[in-house]
Amino acid sequence: MIYAVWVPLLMPFLAVPAARRLADALSPVRAVRLLAATGAGLALCSLLALALLVVPGATRFSVVSALGELVRPLSDAVPAATVPLAAAALALLVGCAAAVVRAARRHWAELRRAGRLDGRADGELAVLRDSRPDAYALPGRPGTPGRIVVTTGMLRALDPAERDALLAHERAHLVGRHHLFIAAVEAAALCHPALRTLRAPMAYALERCADEAAADAVGDRRIAARAIGRAALAAHAAEGTPRPRPRVVL
């Protein structure tokens, strides 16, 4: 049985590349769901496999054997090598748990700091007085709405129709709670190194979702594409040091 436990630990190295290729062929929404399910499922299986690796080594100790209502430790049935293997698996489990907790605390701290954004807020829209073009979606904490942040420089760089498309793009990030998908993939990446390669395709799929939502909102795919393209070019061509962004924005 101990050899079968290694299968979930090795599976991500094969499943993740396959999921990435399949995501490229799917619609944006389905790609996001596939990548999220792949990351969460493989991370959970990896953690369960590590937990199972701990059990054989732990049963060599009388205290643990007693908890399992065993007459005596399974020292004869379990190879001695399982003890260091169990210790390593336990260390990995503790390390993964600590990393996920730290990432979650950092995420919520970033949301709190981002909520104290300066600017002139008009409902969901916050306009910053800054000549450098920039725009992003700022997620809200649970129970609080997020905001779309845009600089005066970005507003001047686009015509009215393009502004509507850009705002629709950022609004799609907020409505879809896309930052939670990013956070889920980041947490999965902390549980298995092979899952780190899901970050880029997830970010790309979420941008595709927002692009599709913007095209539907303005009713013209060309306007939406032109708005996103001009916004990206304007931000890239801007001179000076870019305004620092909160880490949780999209």
Side-chain angles (χ1 to χ4, degrees), residues 130 132 238-244:
D130 194 330
R132 288 161 295 193
E239 297 181 356
T241 304
R243 185 186 183 93

Side-chain angles (χ1 to χ4, degrees), residues 20-40:
R20 294 181 61 181
R21 286 193 293 269
L22 182 57
D24 290 337
L26 296 176
S27 66
V29 174
R30 291 182 177 178
V32 167
R33 293 174 180 172
L34 170 67
L35 295 172
T38 299

Side-chain angles (χ1 to χ4, degrees), residues 86-151:
L90 180 60
L92 288 174
L93 275 175
V94 173
C96 289
V100 170
V101 169
R102 285 196 303 267
R105 293 180 61 181
R106 184 168 59 247
H107 181 78
W108 298 124
E110 286 288 340
L111 286 180
R112 287 195 297 269
R113 283 194 292 268
R116 297 190 290 268
L117 180 73
D118 59 331
R120 188 183 78 251
D122 181 15
E124 70 172 357
L125 181 63
V127 179
L128 302 181
R129 296 184 180 277
D130 194 330
S131 60
R132 288 161 295 193
D134 198 7
Y136 51 84
L138 183 63
R141 289 174 292 174
T144 61
R147 283 193 288 179
I148 299 171
V149 180
V150 62
T151 64

